Amino acid sequence: MAEFWTIEGIDGAGKSHLLSRLTTVPSRATALSKDDPPHTGNTWLDRRLALMHDLTWGYDHAEPVWDYPAHYWLHSLAAWYTLFHHAYVAPALDRDRPVVVDGWYFKHQARMTLSGDDRLVYQAEAVFSALPQPDRVVLLTTTAEVATTRRAGTSKPSEHGAFTTKKATTSSAAFTDYQTRTARALEVLLSAHPAPVHTLPSTADETDLLPLLPLLRGEVKA
């Protein structure tokens, strides 16, 4: 049976870059980017997904989105991942094609564990655990310092901890601190998840992916 893989890491870890490298080597895997998914052939579905993506990730950086209730974001994210899986992941798996996506819900749940809101943490665990779960995880162990350099001048306030501090700071120090804490929380979440985790360095490219490709093709059972 085809497997569902996700590439995880903090903001600036290189998830999308690594996914793009997968398309440069022979593989049966379907690489899916949340920011550039293919058309489904269903105009209504494509339109809904585009609108949901814009509301969840494409907002103006000047909008104080951290002022909206955290539970709004929890359910908005869950709705996006549910429909994304329905539109792209499930059909590919039904065709017996392995699927790799550049991030699932784990980073967002990790952020919510930093909120200090026990009720939110409990509800996030319940909501996200009800989503379709990956069979394997690739975790990029990019340090916060490296990610800070990569995201310089392009990061969003949310990546600096705005949902926790309720402030629109964009300082490098705030980014590094928040990403460091997110990385720790992410590792804790993934260590408790049943899916095997394959760790790769921040500089991972297609040469690092090659040893994993037999797993994607189903040629190796591990």
Side-chain angles (χ1 to χ4, degrees):
M1 180 179 295
E3 291 187 330
F4 171 31
W5 289 53
T6 177
I7 302 172
E8 297 296 328
I10 59 176
D11 297 303
K15 299 182 291 294
S16 297
H17 171 75
L18 185 56
L19 184 77
S20 70
R21 301 309 303 172
L22 179 59
T23 64
T24 68
V25 293
S27 171
R28 290 185 60 248
T30 297
L32 294 173
S33 170
K34 82 174 192 305
D35 293 327
D36 188 26
H39 292 294
T40 65
N42 181 325
T43 303
W44 293 108
L45 181 57
D46 288 339
R47 180 185 179 193
R48 182 171 295 276
L49 282 162
L51 289 171
M52 292 174 69
H53 181 278
D54 188 52
L55 288 171
T56 307
W57 283 284
Y59 55 82
D60 190 310
H61 293 185
E63 182 182 4
V65 294
W66 47 89
D67 286 340
Y68 307 146
H71 295 85
Y72 159 79
W73 288 109
L74 168 60
H75 294 291
S76 293
L77 288 163
W80 161 262
Y81 286 115
T82 297
L83 197 57
F84 185 91
H85 189 279
H86 167 79
Y88 304 115
V89 179
L93 295 176
D94 287 343
R95 296 193 300 272
D96 199 31
R97 293 183 63 89
V99 175
V100 186
V101 301
D102 56 345
W104 205 229
Y105 65 83
F106 297 103
K107 180 184 71 176
H108 303 290
Q109 185 178 359
R111 286 178 171 180
M112 291 177 184
T113 66
L114 303 176
S115 67
D117 183 339
D118 291 340
R119 180 168 173 264
L120 173 63
V121 172
Y122 174 80
Q123 290 192 343
E125 181 178 1
V127 170
F128 287 137
S129 66
L131 293 175
Q133 300 297 310
D135 298 297
R136 293 180 184 271
V137 175
V138 174
L139 175 62
L140 293 175
T141 58
T142 309
T143 66
E145 289 76 15
V146 170
T148 300
T149 300
R150 290 178 175 176
R151 297 289 287 164
T154 63
S155 58
K156 299 183 290 187
S158 61
E159 298 172 353
H160 296 249
F163 282 99
T164 301
T165 64
K166 304 300 181 182
K167 297 178 181 178
T169 179
T170 55
S171 73
S172 295
F175 183 94
T176 303
D177 175 69
Y178 186 61
Q179 296 302 325
T180 298
R181 292 187 291 120
T182 300
R184 293 173 186 152
L186 181 59
E187 289 178 3
V188 171
L189 285 176
L190 292 177
S191 68
H193 195 274
V197 177
H198 307 268
T199 58
L200 290 179
S202 63
T203 55
D205 57 20
E206 67 273 21
T207 61
D208 299 287
L209 277 174
L210 284 174
L212 299 181
L213 292 180
L215 293 175
L216 287 171
R217 292 194 293 266
E219 295 174 4
V220 176
K221 301 298 182 182

